Amino acid sequence: MEDSSSSMGQNGGQMGSQAASSSNNKQNEDSQQKDYSVPGILHFIQHEWARFELERSQWEVDRAELQARIAFLQGERKGQENLKNDLVRRIKMLEYALKQERAKFHKHKYGTELQQGDMNPPVMDDSGESQLDPDQSYLPVGNSTWKDGRKLLRQYLQEIGYTDRIIDVRSTRVRALLGLNNNHPDQEESYNGGPVNGNESIKRVSETQGRRTPAKKPQPGSLSEAMMLDTEAAVMANLDFLSNTDVDMDDDEDMSDDGEMDHSVEMEDEVKPNKKEGEDVDALALEVFNELNRLSEVEKKPETKNAAGPPDWDKTQVPKRPIGISDEDNIDAALGLGELAQLTVNNDAESTYDIASSKEAFRKTWNAKYTLRSHFDGVRALGFHPTEPVLITASEDHTLKLWNLQKTVPAKKSASLDVEPLYTFRMHSGPVLSLAISGTGEHCYSGGLDGLINCWNIPNSNIDPYDLFEPDVLNTTLHGHSDAVWGLSVLNSKQQLVSCSSDGTVKLWSPHSKVQLLNTFTSEQDGIPSSVDFIRDEPNKVVASFASSHCVIFDTETGKPVLRLESTSQDSVNLSAKKIYKIVCHPTLSLTITAHEDRHIRFWDNHTGKMVHSMVAHLDAVTSLAVDPNGLYLLSGSHDCSIRLWHLDNKTCVQEITAHRKKFDESILDVAFHPSRPYIASAGADALAKVFV
Amino acid sequence: MKMAEGATILRRNRPGTKAKDFCRWPDEPFEEMDSTLAVQQYIQQLIRRDPSNIDLILRIPDSHDEGVWKYEHLRQFCMELNGLAVRLQGECHPETCTQMTATEQWIFLCAAHKTPKECPAIDYTRHTLDGAACLLNSNKYFPSRVSIKESSVAKLGSVCRRVYRIFSHAYFHHRQIFDEFETETCLCKRFTHFVTKYNLMSKDNLIVPILEEDSASGESEA
């Protein structure tokens, strides 16, 4: 009623009060109260009404905006709760892992169980649920319940032009939630420099697994940051209503990806950091999807793995190696499942293993800890630094690499590597076959298929892997052999080196003096030497094994053979089948140990030349031997893919670990003890080296 | 020496093996290789038999996974490039080759650092090979050598592009080394065929005129 009359009046008023309105306007302020003309009133009412209408519509708009905002925030909150639950769950898992590690460490160190409050797995009773829950809830919720709401919301947001800000809001929220203030440079740095994903940090935790917790400090930062990236990617992937704007973002990153780069290579490299980031985000998104699958697989996979088992390993199942099996399989499973799986699965394994081993009488059991991957072909030899947790590997890919086990290098390309090599020694023009490290840790010597022995100054174990080239890392090269150098050994007290080559000679060197070649030994009747070592308790003697399957002890001063180590006639039925792969001398006793193709390890008395013990040690050729620095244990490696630890007193096998895979018919090529720290290592034809602690 | 008891052939390099006998054992058919490293074994076996028979070396066995095939080939390339790097070390010094260049057109920046640097050519070479070794052995991108994710296969292209610059630098600045190495290994030719066959690099970037030479059947004359 009001409306119609006023609208009528409006027309009339406008027509009729044309003149009056002009005067009205002039004296509007002061004369308004006096001039109550009908057209004036009508006009006023109409004016007011229009004003209210306008305001109302504005409120309407505001309200819609706010409602959209509320809906968005609610959705976001829900998402964040899920994120938080997920993170809490992970933190619990990590805490639990840390506790397990500490307990283990404590037990190893003090031999007693460590009491540290609740050692129960944090969420074990409902772990299955809690592992799956948070992640699952992304999908159903994201896909069904909220879908309509989001569609609507997206329309709202796009109308308002809100989209750009939301991205910022969203990411800052996620960051705020995690207590991080990080902006793009940080992200970039974390990719290029700092460790990116959880596995890396976990390694660090377990390294500093003592009772102190300072190691925790750096860890949460990087870990949660990585997780933040993960989860952010998850949010990105799941909240598909943002896809439009995401495309904008991705475009920025894609810009720097291949397409453009191929135009101009110069430019490509300049924008490389961006590119990597782009790649990484993509990878992360993918990873998160995978992770969802993995999480559900984690529970099942280990069992199936254990049951099926890679065919190579099945046949090597021998008593006394429960630890070896479970651990190895787990690692394999973990390799397939990625770092997250490794995290959970390994802990499970360790907890069960702890219980088992506490009942075992063994003093110490070794577990695979580091896998050194960076060689392209079989690792022929390895050796430890005398004091530091550093080792050097020599490979058929023509290089040697230096690794620092305590320095997990800022992972450039991938963070799930345990250790990255610090330095690559390049000078051999063929496979590197043998390696020896001096007792001072200053030099190492490598012998190659090219017949050269290179003497290297070992670079500092804290160098930047991408430093400038220092030509003086190569100290000197020993020329003299005309064929492949298969064996090297160092005598620290005299700074001497002994080498054997397929040219049929054994040579004694003094690498750092003027006259390098001191003496040459041969044994015409025995042919080509295969391995060589100094006799430790008589430093003027070396012992070499030959193609004839006999060993000869030479006097280094006279150069003459002193004694032959020959097996008795009834034992020497088929000499070619007994070929010796490796010869080592006991550090304190007058004992020489040989590894044979016929699966035997044989022990010899250096004074009498008689064989004192012989045993079948492996299922295939024994390829490598190492005696621990105290002379109590012997480590052997074999082409049957396993390494075995032997008690030298009673010659019993203490532990067996399946360590490497086969390439052609070769598997394990070398083993080593650390001279002063509890590390052992194995080198394999599968291009890997493994370190056990 | 190579033959153990009976008819079984054990393909092993025992200590004492002479350099000329290294890995010289009867070929094993690809179908009979049951190892996880079968593809690497097979590729190396072909190369050892005749490094110049590029077509055969690059011919993928029937119904084999192409990602793994490309990956293993690239590993082999990076490994053999060590040989070129060793030769370059003797001649390519930071004082003479202060930058990684091929033609005058571009200076390549070394991507191994947080901010790409103008590394001297020899460092660029070393860093690129080291970086490739890390990437190709990365547990994250290449956890298995039996099957490879599609997203990781995509990374092979950028590795190819970077390591190719080692060839191009050697070709344009250390021609004698390049020619000696190429005569011995045919590596650049194989690499060029490889990236062309699997479309891992654009033709514009293949600046070493090795395929043209091929048709002109001259190795050392450009």
Side-chain angles (χ1 to χ4, degrees), chain B residues 57-201:
Chain B
I57 294 171
L58 294 182
R59 193 179 303 146
I60 183 166
D62 289 341
S63 72
H64 200 277
D65 182 85
E66 192 175 293
V68 175
W69 180 251
K70 288 192 280 193
Y71 169 74
E72 288 292 345
H73 260 295
L74 191 54
R75 279 180 72 105
Q76 183 70 22
F77 282 120
C78 290
M79 173 172 137
E80 292 189 49
L81 266 168
N82 278 326
L84 185 58
V86 167
R87 288 171 200 241
L88 285 176
Q89 268 177 183
E91 188 183 297
C92 177
H93 300 295
E95 303 83 46
T96 51
C97 298
T98 55
Q99 294 165 326
M100 185 65 171
T101 53
T103 54
E104 295 304 308
Q105 210 172 350
W106 291 313
I107 298 167
F108 302 119
L109 300 185
C110 182
H113 311 273
K114 279 178 192 163
T115 48
K117 276 202 331 203
E118 266 189 42
C119 279
I122 189 64
D123 287 310
Y124 186 100
T125 304
R126 291 172 55 251
H127 296 167
T128 301
L129 288 178
D130 290 349
C134 284
L135 176 70
L136 293 178
N137 284 295
S138 149
N139 207 8
K140 183 172 167 191
Y141 297 117
F142 301 101
S144 157
R145 287 171 72 172
V146 183
S147 72
I148 291 174
K149 294 187 292 219
E150 205 51 48
S151 62
S152 299
V153 172
K155 301 214 170 295
L156 300 181
S158 67
V159 176
C160 288
R161 219 167 39 237
R162 278 174 213 158
V163 299
Y164 184 78
R165 292 168 194 160
I166 302 170
F167 286 120
S168 58
H169 176 76
Y171 182 84
F172 288 104
H173 295 270
H174 308 280
R175 187 62 189 277
Q176 200 189 340
I177 286 179
F178 179 88
D179 287 341
E180 281 171 17
F181 185 73
E182 188 62 23
T183 313
E184 211 174 282
T185 61
C186 301
L187 194 66
C188 184
K189 201 161 133 195
R190 194 194 333 147
F191 190 84
T192 310
H193 278 283
F194 170 69
V195 292
T196 313
K197 180 170 180 179
Y198 293 105
N199 213 7
L200 290 163
M201 277 174 69

Side-chain angles (χ1 to χ4, degrees), chain A residues 209-409:
Chain A
Q209 58 190 241
R211 300 224 45 184
R212 299 168 307 141
T213 46
K216 264 194 154 180
K217 267 244 157 91
Q219 180 233 344
S222 54
L223 179 65
S224 53
E225 187 168 315
M227 283 185 168
M228 190 274 298
L229 283 175
D230 267 11
T231 45
E232 196 178 343
V235 175
M236 293 280 244
N238 281 304
L239 303 191
D240 50 336
F241 77 97
L242 285 172
S243 63
N244 279 1
T245 51
D246 281 350
V247 166
D248 291 345
M249 278 182 92
D250 286 345
D251 276 352
D252 290 343
E253 286 153 354
D254 284 344
M255 289 246 289
S256 43
D257 211 319
D258 277 345
E260 189 181 66
M261 263 181 265
D262 279 332
H263 301 318
S264 144
V265 181
E266 196 178 48
M267 201 167 151
E268 171 196 0
D269 279 330
E270 271 159 8
V271 290
K272 234 149 216 172
N274 288 337
K275 176 193 176 187
K276 285 178 197 157
E277 201 186 334
E279 283 175 355
D280 203 44
V281 170
D282 290 350
L284 276 171
L286 236 155
E287 209 167 80
V288 169
F289 277 128
N290 292 339
E291 195 177 281
L292 295 181
N293 299 331
R294 277 182 214 147
L295 269 174
S296 48
E297 280 169 10
V298 166
E299 312 290 73
K300 310 167 211 156
K301 234 190 176 144
E303 282 88 14
T304 56
K305 274 270 177 187
N306 277 333
D312 279 356
W313 299 347
D314 276 347
K315 61 182 179 193
T316 58
Q317 299 211 359
V318 174
K320 281 198 179 171
R321 53 179 294 259
I323 296 104
I325 294 176
S326 61
D327 217 56
E328 196 56 37
D329 282 350
N330 273 318
I331 279 167
D332 190 55
L335 282 181
L337 292 169
E339 57 269 16
L340 194 77
Q342 199 167 19
L343 197 159
T344 50
V345 172
N346 266 357
N347 288 333
D348 286 350
E350 270 158 33
S351 61
T352 54
Y353 145 58
D354 273 353
I355 294 157
S357 74
S358 61
K359 285 167 190 158
E360 304 268 12
F362 302 144
R363 183 189 59 89
K364 172 161 176 60
T365 40
W366 299 84
N367 290 301
K369 176 147 182 195
Y370 304 100
T371 302
L372 313 184
R373 3 164 105 232
S374 189
H375 281 297
F376 285 122
D377 208 343
V379 182
R380 276 276 159 190
L382 54 72
F384 279 102
H385 187 280
T387 51
E388 290 175 49
V390 167
L391 78 160
I392 297 174
T393 51
S395 162
E396 287 180 30
D397 68 7
H398 307 190
T399 66
L400 297 97
K401 288 181 194 258
L402 174 76
W403 314 75
N404 184 344
L405 298 177
Q406 273 186 351
K407 198 178 172 208
T408 43
V409 188

Side-chain angles (χ1 to χ4, degrees), chain A residues 486 499-506 526-531 544-547, chain B residues 15-16:
Chain A
W486 278 99
S499 64
C500 71
S501 160
S502 50
D503 64 6
T505 61
V506 173
D526 292 306
I528 293 175
S530 59
S531 179
S545 60
F546 284 89

